[in-house]
Amino acid sequence: KLRLLLLIGVISISCGHHDVNLTTSENPLIVGKTEKLEGSLCPTDLQTIDSLIIISEYGDSYFFHIYNKNSLKLIGKFGREGRGPFEYHIPRMMTQSIKIRDSVFLLVYDDTRKRIDFINILEAINKTNYYPKSISFKNKKIAESEIINSAVMTVDSFIVGNANINGINTEKEGRFFCYDIYNDNMTWEPFYPIPKIEPSERAKGDLYTSRLALRPNGIDIAATSLFFKRIDILDRKGKLKRSIIFNQNKDPDFSNADSWPPKGSHEYFTSISVSQDYVYALDIDLDVDNREIIDTVSLIKASWEDIDATPEIFKMTPRVLKIAVDEENKKVYGIQMFSSNIYIYDIK
């Protein structure tokens, strides 16, 4: 039955790099509307699924809060903290959902429980004793990874782009790894891009911090980077197909990473959201040494396949750190850490 949950079509496109000049002087400014989220203390991530907004939350006895997208009314919670059935310790929403018949399933990975849960959202908030279908990674090679912050699931693999590694040769072996669910094998993709200044070995894991999102029909994976201004398109096994590379003022210097983030570094992409046709990446454009934070960010809209199409770039205010794009209704929802507000932007 779990295999049916993972049946996703796969096709491929040609490899190649696509360099893009990032200019912002003529970009339209989108001013967001600020709304309060009932019952929210510390939102950390969000997704939109159909008429719902799912907020990943800390500081509450439930990790996930469900809101009506139109009214922003809190309609339910699920994911109690604990070690019992359908309880979590360190859950992460994966940037994907799957639809089976009339039901939509949210994918949640828990580092402590070492499992992926397929959660029917409406059943989870309406049933007291709801138990999701799960894939367990206990006693598997992937269980050696300590903390996984960003990953996607394809038809037969678990692609991880941001993890603290404990026991896998004690260090990261590449930017991504692909875990073959059925054969219990892990394959690393090499570190890229290679900066001009050689990073220290212990800093590589942080330098290549990435966020992943799966195309809705499972064709491709989009990957953004915190310290490199680029969007990479991967195949379902995590192998690079093409890149959209933006102008970057300077290469990151992680040669002496005694502080975090290292002095002189620059942060770019902190969030990613996708539709069938487009990748949306949030660029916070933060100079770590400059403590003055401006109240704007950039939303970059790039095509999955059209290598000749220049990405659209929008300026947004107020500043947010995480986004979810509702392409059908031309809206972007954003959150800030440690704020009970949600910010809604209209994109045309």
Side-chain angles (χ1 to χ4, degrees), residues 61-63 78-83 86-89:
S61 57
Y62 289 89
F63 281 109
F78 70 91
R80 185 183 290 274
E81 184 175 7
R83 294 183 178 273
F86 196 44
E87 294 181 337
Y88 298 95
H89 183 234

CSV table of all heavy atoms in Angstrom, one decimal, residues 61-63 78-83 86-89:
chain,number,residue,atom,x,y,z
A,61,SER,N,1.6,22.2,22.8
A,61,SER,CA,1.6,20.7,23.0
A,61,SER,C,1.4,19.9,21.7
A,61,SER,O,1.7,18.7,21.6
A,61,SER,CB,0.5,20.3,24.0
A,61,SER,OG,-0.7,20.8,23.5
A,62,TYR,N,1.0,20.6,20.6
A,62,TYR,CA,0.9,20.0,19.3
A,62,TYR,C,1.8,20.7,18.3
A,62,TYR,O,1.9,22.0,18.3
A,62,TYR,CB,-0.5,20.1,18.7
A,62,TYR,CG,-1.5,19.2,19.4
A,62,TYR,CD1,-2.2,19.7,20.6
A,62,TYR,CD2,-1.8,17.9,19.0
A,62,TYR,CE1,-3.1,18.8,21.2
A,62,TYR,CE2,-2.7,17.1,19.7
A,62,TYR,CZ,-3.3,17.6,20.8
A,62,TYR,OH,-4.2,16.7,21.4
A,63,PHE,N,2.5,20.0,17.5
A,63,PHE,CA,3.5,20.5,16.6
A,63,PHE,C,2.9,21.2,15.3
A,63,PHE,O,3.5,22.0,14.7
A,63,PHE,CB,4.5,19.5,16.1
A,63,PHE,CG,5.6,19.2,17.2
A,63,PHE,CD1,5.6,18.0,17.8
A,63,PHE,CD2,6.6,20.1,17.4
A,63,PHE,CE1,6.5,17.6,18.8
A,63,PHE,CE2,7.5,19.8,18.4
A,63,PHE,CZ,7.5,18.6,19.0
A,78,PHE,N,-2.6,18.7,15.3
A,78,PHE,CA,-2.3,17.3,15.4
A,78,PHE,C,-0.8,17.3,15.7
A,78,PHE,O,0.0,18.2,15.6
A,78,PHE,CB,-2.7,16.5,14.2
A,78,PHE,CG,-1.9,16.9,12.9
A,78,PHE,CD1,-0.7,16.2,12.6
A,78,PHE,CD2,-2.3,17.9,12.1
A,78,PHE,CE1,0.0,16.5,11.5
A,78,PHE,CE2,-1.6,18.2,10.9
A,78,PHE,CZ,-0.4,17.5,10.6
A,79,GLY,N,-0.3,16.1,16.0
A,79,GLY,CA,1.1,15.8,16.2
A,79,GLY,C,1.5,16.2,17.6
A,79,GLY,O,2.3,17.1,17.8
A,80,ARG,N,1.0,15.5,18.6
A,80,ARG,CA,1.4,15.8,20.0
A,80,ARG,C,2.8,15.4,20.3
A,80,ARG,O,3.4,14.4,19.7
A,80,ARG,CB,0.5,15.0,20.9
A,80,ARG,CG,0.7,15.4,22.4
A,80,ARG,CD,-0.2,14.5,23.3
A,80,ARG,NE,-1.6,14.9,23.2
A,80,ARG,CZ,-2.2,15.9,23.8
A,80,ARG,NH1,-1.5,16.6,24.7
A,80,ARG,NH2,-3.5,16.2,23.7
A,81,GLU,N,3.5,16.2,21.1
A,81,GLU,CA,4.9,15.9,21.5
A,81,GLU,C,4.9,14.6,22.4
A,81,GLU,O,4.1,14.5,23.4
A,81,GLU,CB,5.5,17.0,22.2
A,81,GLU,CG,7.0,16.8,22.6
A,81,GLU,CD,7.6,18.0,23.2
A,81,GLU,OE1,6.9,19.0,23.5
A,81,GLU,OE2,8.8,18.0,23.4
A,82,GLY,N,5.8,13.7,22.2
A,82,GLY,CA,5.9,12.5,23.0
A,82,GLY,C,6.5,11.4,22.3
A,82,GLY,O,7.0,11.6,21.1
A,83,ARG,N,6.5,10.2,22.8
A,83,ARG,CA,7.1,9.0,22.2
A,83,ARG,C,6.1,7.9,22.0
A,83,ARG,O,6.5,6.8,21.7
A,83,ARG,CB,8.3,8.5,23.1
A,83,ARG,CG,9.4,9.5,23.2
A,83,ARG,CD,10.6,9.0,24.0
A,83,ARG,NE,11.7,10.0,24.0
A,83,ARG,CZ,12.6,10.1,23.1
A,83,ARG,NH1,12.6,9.3,22.1
A,83,ARG,NH2,13.6,11.0,23.2
A,86,PHE,N,1.9,8.1,17.0
A,86,PHE,CA,1.5,9.3,16.4
A,86,PHE,C,1.9,10.5,17.2
A,86,PHE,O,1.2,11.5,17.3
A,86,PHE,CB,0.0,9.4,16.1
A,86,PHE,CG,-0.4,10.5,15.1
A,86,PHE,CD1,0.3,10.8,14.0
A,86,PHE,CD2,-1.5,11.3,15.4
A,86,PHE,CE1,0.0,11.8,13.1
A,86,PHE,CE2,-1.9,12.3,14.5
A,86,PHE,CZ,-1.1,12.6,13.4
A,87,GLU,N,3.0,10.4,17.9
A,87,GLU,CA,3.6,11.5,18.7
A,87,GLU,C,5.0,11.7,18.1
A,87,GLU,O,5.6,10.9,17.5
A,87,GLU,CB,3.6,11.2,20.2
A,87,GLU,CG,2.3,11.1,20.8
A,87,GLU,CD,2.3,10.8,22.3
A,87,GLU,OE1,3.3,10.2,22.8
A,87,GLU,OE2,1.3,11.1,23.0
A,88,TYR,N,5.5,13.0,18.4
A,88,TYR,CA,6.8,13.4,17.7
A,88,TYR,C,7.7,14.0,18.7
A,88,TYR,O,7.3,14.4,19.8
A,88,TYR,CB,6.5,14.4,16.6
A,88,TYR,CG,5.6,13.9,15.5
A,88,TYR,CD1,4.3,14.1,15.5
A,88,TYR,CD2,6.2,13.1,14.5
A,88,TYR,CE1,3.5,13.6,14.5
A,88,TYR,CE2,5.4,12.6,13.4
A,88,TYR,CZ,4.0,12.9,13.5
A,88,TYR,OH,3.3,12.4,12.5
A,89,HIS,N,9.0,14.0,18.3
A,89,HIS,CA,10.0,14.7,19.1
A,89,HIS,C,10.6,15.8,18.4
A,89,HIS,O,10.7,17.0,18.8
A,89,HIS,CB,11.1,13.7,19.6
A,89,HIS,CG,12.1,14.3,20.4
A,89,HIS,ND1,13.5,14.2,20.2
A,89,HIS,CD2,12.0,15.0,21.6
A,89,HIS,CE1,14.1,14.9,21.1
A,89,HIS,NE2,13.3,15.4,22.0
